[in-house]
Amino acid sequence: MNNPASMQDMVKHAFANMRGRLTPQAPLGPRTWFRVGGAAEWLFQPADAEDLAGVLQRLSPELPITALGACSNVIIRDGGLEGVVVRMARGFADITVEADGIIAGCACLDATVAEHAAQAGLSGLEFLAGIPGSIGGAVRMNAGAYGSDIANVLDWAEIITRDGSLIRLDNAALRFGYRRSGLPEGAFVIRARLRGTPANAQDVANRIAEVRAARELSQPVRARTGGSTFRNPDAETSARKAWELIDAAGCRGLRHGDAQVSEKHCNFLINLGNATATDLEELGEDVRTRVAQNSGVSLHWEIKRLGKTEASPK
């Protein structure tokens, strides 16, 4: 949008009857797990699905819009995000337990859903305890760990499309692949139903404890990080996982300023304290280059990188 006055008019019209909160120039860095990044031109926190749908129906297609969840698997670039950033919170955090599954709002943390499943004596969702982030993001990227992923357990997801329509999509319609889904462009996940199998509650709780212990042992969970940086190559490309390729290329502990490849798990980047988004992204690109030179394998980012690299001049 090159005309600030025109954008102001669009925003004023779209949000005239909202019930949520709209904040101009909202800092996003403190909301991300890396603790880096610029501001959102406008940050909208809708009250509920109806509130979001109403705004989308009035919002000009010309206005850029970005969905953010728990910000656990994202680098917000230092120049921030143009247009409207939508972040779902309390109005999207309901959990309903059923006999053979759970319906969870998009803002529910994955680990919280795993805990509810354990309390209800439902197995099959323990892997969620090992995935940082929220259900909306998990559906969007088909998050997975410890032998399972969302595609294995999802019955349906409700979404709101860019024009404000509410649609329910079944598993097949989402066209899941490795760390991706076929969600329509600009769609927002609102809630999802995840299948579980009745089981002994203590057995499920024990399995969750095992997942958490394994994660604590192998990953830098107490650092400023963002989950796995790169997707594992497919079997036809390489038999080795991303971390093995990174390690073989000599990147364990590699630093750019305060951005570092974790020494504990080298498919994780960490912010040692004062890293910028640029530091983290440049470090990741350096790792990709070194891996390609060493093994011939091109690693692909799993972490989402969003926004402008530099702030606009004042």
Side-chain angles (χ1 to χ4, degrees):
M1 299 295 296
N2 297 320
N3 187 335
S6 175
M7 179 174 174
Q8 291 280 354
D9 290 341
M10 289 181 183
V11 170
K12 183 177 180 180
H13 168 72
F15 292 92
N17 299 314
M18 69 169 183
R19 289 177 288 109
R21 177 187 297 178
L22 183 67
T23 307
Q25 295 303 316
L28 294 177
R31 299 174 185 270
T32 73
W33 286 36
F34 277 118
R35 300 292 191 271
V36 300
E41 197 164 4
W42 298 92
L43 177 65
F44 176 45
Q45 295 171 278
D48 50 33
E50 183 181 2
D51 192 29
L52 174 59
V55 166
L56 290 174
Q57 287 166 4
R58 297 186 297 271
L59 197 63
S60 168
E62 297 178 48
L63 202 60
I65 188 163
T66 305
L68 286 182
C71 296
S72 59
N73 194 241
V74 65
I75 293 174
I76 304 294
R77 292 179 174 129
D78 298 313
L81 289 169
E82 294 181 312
V84 177
V85 172
V86 177
R87 190 163 189 266
M88 269 76 94
R90 285 176 295 179
F92 300 85
D94 290 342
I95 293 178
T96 302
V97 177
E98 298 183 338
D100 62 346
I102 285 180
I103 299 173
C106 61
C108 295
L109 293 180
D110 300 330
T112 301
V113 174
E115 290 166 1
H116 276 74
Q119 293 165 9
L122 292 172
S123 70
L125 303 179
E126 296 93 330
F127 74 98
L128 289 171
I131 300 176
S134 57
I135 290 298
V139 172
R140 177 170 293 279
M141 67 172 290
N142 186 21
Y146 303 99
S148 191
D149 59 20
I150 289 294
N152 282 327
V153 299
L154 184 134
D155 283 331
W156 50 257
E158 286 182 349
I159 67 169
I160 294 179
T161 59
R162 182 64 173 81
D163 64 2
S165 301
L166 179 65
I167 300 172
R168 178 176 292 188
L169 299 176
D170 64 15
N171 190 303
L174 283 162
R175 306 191 308 280
F176 286 119
Y178 176 65
R179 300 296 176 264
R180 63 176 176 80
S181 68
L183 280 169
E185 185 70 26
F188 295 82
V189 177
I190 301 303
R191 61 177 188 156
R193 189 184 193 280
L194 307 177
R195 283 190 312 281
T197 303
N200 179 275
Q202 188 57 54
D203 290 343
V204 179
N206 290 344
R207 173 58 181 152
I208 288 176
E210 291 172 2
V211 166
R212 285 179 167 155
R215 183 167 176 254
E216 179 84 27
L217 187 66
S218 64
Q219 299 177 12
V221 295
R222 303 189 186 280
R224 295 181 179 181
T225 187
S228 295
T229 306
F230 303 105
R231 302 199 299 268
N232 287 324
D234 58 51
E236 294 179 358
T237 302
S238 173
R240 291 186 288 178
K241 293 184 177 180
W243 77 264
E244 294 174 303
L245 294 165
I246 295 167
D247 206 14
C251 296
R252 188 182 293 269
L254 185 67
R255 286 182 62 171
H256 277 215
D258 261 8
Q260 183 183 42
V261 175
S262 170
E263 294 183 353
K264 190 171 189 178
H265 190 315
C266 50
N267 195 22
F268 283 68
L269 302 182
I270 58 176
N271 177 2
L272 295 174
N274 296 304
T276 64
T278 299
D279 291 334
L280 289 162
E281 190 166 5
E282 288 181 348
L283 175 59
E285 287 300 322
D286 189 6
V287 168
R288 292 183 71 241
T289 297
R290 293 181 185 221
V291 167
Q293 290 172 344
N294 183 67
S295 65
V297 176
S298 178
L299 292 178
H300 298 283
W301 285 85
E302 184 168 321
I303 285 178
K304 304 297 182 187
R305 296 151 296 140
L306 305 173
K308 300 180 292 182
T309 53
E310 297 180 0
S312 300
K314 295 182 179 179

